[in-house]
Amino acid sequence: MSMIEGPLSGLRVIEMGSLIAGPFCGQVLGDFGAEVIKLEDPKVGDPMRQWGRSKPKGLSPWWPVIGRNKKSVTIDLRTEEGRDIARTLIAKADVVVENFRPGTLEKWGMGYEALAKTNPGLVMARVSGFGQTGPYSKRAGYALVGEAMGGLRHITGEPDRPPARAGISIGDSLSGLNAALGVMMALHARQRTGKGQVVDAAIYESVLTVMENLITEYDLTGYIRERSGAVLPGIAPSNVYPTRSGELVLIGANQDTLFKRLCDLMGRPDLVEDPRYRDHAARGAHQAELDARIAAWTADQDIEDLLPKLEAAGLATGRIYRAPDMLDDPQFQARQSIVTVPHPVFGQVKMQNAFPRLTETPGAVRWPGPTLGEHTDAVLAELAGLDAQGLADLRARSVI
């Protein structure tokens, strides 16, 4: 665990909202040293404390990750007194991250214009399904809808089956990452202008931004991209192939020089001059039959023998990893891609490190997701000036 001060040290972030999209933005900012004060409902906290397929020791293994590097402060934002406390915290913050349904903060008198009156340098990251404007803005916006509307769902899966989803809520994470990027841009602009602004990160647009040339290709040619399973249409060879041991191997050789190396390795140098495969366009047009040729070759070899040959030839290759493969891999170990963090209940818990890597001021996982309200007294005493009696009174009335 790095003890170097993170690049966002000194930045104060108030995180409101729950689940993944907004809190992932807070996770990224916290990983790089920002003080992230997460406001949670005093009774149940963020639902992520309960989510997940399994509950080792009665706790969600999801919360230690998405709650990491954050301070938990319980405030009931549905009460005017709770909102007053939140306003006091926000007046002393650089950034607010929220993912309520658009209009909620305005209803509470906590819209950006209201908050900026007392804190004109405030940057507010607003994460939602459809953005803060437009006819869909007030709709419930979950990742599954944003992924579909942004174009990802239609092209995911096998062509003879209904659209599939990624095994993670990728739309939520993309919007959280987009929000964090927007926060950095807004803070940079604030250095010049002294003014904050709103970062409006919609899930569907965050998905749309990674859809490559999907829109432009349709606009110019009328082509609608469809599901293509494990391959990208027209990009060959680049696929998963069987091996004798039953494990799949990934091979990417979709450039002329790489394809020649693969053909030499297969003992088929003649394929390089075959009109069906001699250039990128030809290989793309004959993708299925080329993949069948390669699959016939790989199916006759054990993956343990095949991988070193492919690597020695300079080809992009590898296995399809699961969690135990990541933990055992020397590349992950050498770069500490996965770190072990002490946890008060789990003992030692493993999770992904902070990325990307910065050479001088790297991010770090300083602590896992905190217990509900763990930092309430300390934060409210420091930033809201509340003494022990004031805190006790608020707690007795369930405001905190």
Side-chain angles (χ1 to χ4, degrees):
M1 192 180 303
S2 172
M3 299 307 293
I4 298 172
E5 200 169 67
L8 300 184
S9 179
L11 193 74
R12 179 172 292 141
V13 178
I14 305 299
E15 180 188 297
M16 299 190 287
S18 59
L19 300 174
I20 302 173
F24 186 72
C25 173
Q27 178 190 324
V28 172
L29 300 176
D31 281 355
F32 288 90
E35 179 190 18
V36 180
I37 299 171
K38 180 175 179 64
L39 307 187
E40 299 187 72
D41 181 274
K43 298 182 181 64
V44 296
D46 192 316
M48 296 307 294
R49 293 179 176 275
Q50 308 299 326
W51 274 31
R53 183 193 58 81
S54 54
K55 295 275 188 66
K57 299 189 177 181
L59 299 177
S60 166
W62 210 329
W63 176 248
V65 181
I66 201 162
R68 71 192 194 185
N69 296 328
K70 300 178 184 180
K71 296 178 179 178
S72 173
V73 172
T74 51
I75 298 178
D76 186 351
L77 294 174
R78 291 172 177 80
T79 66
E80 187 56 41
E81 202 167 4
R83 292 193 289 272
D84 282 342
I85 296 170
R87 290 186 189 99
T88 300
L89 300 181
I90 292 168
K92 299 177 180 179
D94 299 283
V95 179
V96 168
V97 178
E98 66 93 9
N99 67 325
F100 295 112
R101 190 176 297 198
T104 300
L105 286 184
E106 284 75 9
K107 182 180 67 177
W108 289 345
M110 296 178 67
Y112 182 75
E113 297 302 325
L115 297 174
K117 285 179 180 176
T118 54
N119 186 355
L122 182 69
V123 171
M124 177 182 275
R126 313 196 72 172
V127 188
S128 62
F130 305 101
Q132 300 299 310
T133 60
Y136 299 171
S137 60
K138 298 295 194 293
R139 292 183 182 179
Y142 275 40
L144 81 166
V145 178
E147 290 161 18
M149 190 171 164
L152 182 61
R153 284 292 183 101
H154 183 74
I155 63 168
T156 303
E158 296 297 330
D160 60 343
R161 299 179 191 176
R165 70 171 296 166
I168 56 172
S169 298
I170 188 68
D172 282 334
S173 300
L174 283 172
S175 60
L177 200 58
N178 238 13
L181 178 62
V183 166
M184 294 297 97
M185 295 174 182
L187 290 172
H188 185 69
R190 189 178 73 174
Q191 289 182 330
R192 298 194 310 274
T193 68
K195 289 184 61 180
Q197 59 184 299
V198 173
V199 176
D200 183 354
I203 295 175
Y204 86 95
E205 289 174 333
S206 299
V207 172
L208 179 62
T209 198
V210 299
M211 293 310 293
E212 302 173 352
N213 69 334
L214 181 141
I215 295 293
T216 308
E217 187 172 28
Y218 170 73
D219 181 50
L220 295 176
T221 71
Y223 175 76
I224 297 177
R225 194 178 297 187
E226 300 290 345
R227 291 180 291 288
S228 55
V231 303
L232 290 174
I235 309 296
S238 180
N239 205 341
V240 290
Y241 303 95
T243 64
R244 186 161 52 200
S245 51
E247 192 174 349
L248 296 172
V249 63
L250 291 153
I251 303 175
N254 49 301
Q255 295 182 46
D256 292 346
T257 53
L258 297 180
F259 182 62
K260 182 180 185 305
R261 293 178 199 169
L262 178 60
C263 291
D264 289 343
L265 200 59
M266 292 170 61
R268 293 296 308 274
D270 57 297
L271 295 179
V272 175
E273 299 303 325
D274 190 311
R276 294 170 296 177
Y277 315 128
R278 74 165 45 130
D279 58 30
H280 177 80
R283 290 192 294 273
H286 298 90
Q287 186 168 26
E289 64 182 73
L290 178 56
D291 276 340
R293 284 182 181 275
I294 298 168
W297 173 67
T298 60
D300 197 37
Q301 302 185 61
D302 292 323
I303 195 167
E304 300 294 347
D305 298 326
L306 179 59
L307 277 174
K309 296 177 190 174
L310 293 165
E311 290 167 4
L315 295 166
T317 187
R319 292 178 157 97
I320 297 175
Y321 276 14
R322 303 163 302 142
D325 303 306
M326 299 176 195
L327 291 171
D328 290 341
D329 188 274
Q331 178 72 9
F332 281 70
Q333 292 167 3
R335 287 172 61 85
Q336 292 187 303
S337 302
I338 295 171
V339 292
T340 302
V341 183
H343 188 279
V345 177
F346 294 138
Q348 300 293 319
V349 62
K350 297 185 189 316
M351 65 180 69
Q352 59 269 46
N353 208 337
F355 311 120
R357 298 174 182 276
L358 278 66
T359 56
E360 300 301 320
T361 55
V365 183
R366 301 185 301 284
W367 64 83
T371 57
L372 182 61
E374 182 176 334
H375 304 93
T376 301
D377 288 8
V379 169
L380 296 188
E382 178 190 356
L383 299 182
L386 291 167
D387 59 17
Q389 185 59 54
L391 291 166
D393 289 345
L394 289 168
R395 189 165 280 115
R397 288 182 283 116
S398 300
V399 176
I400 63 172

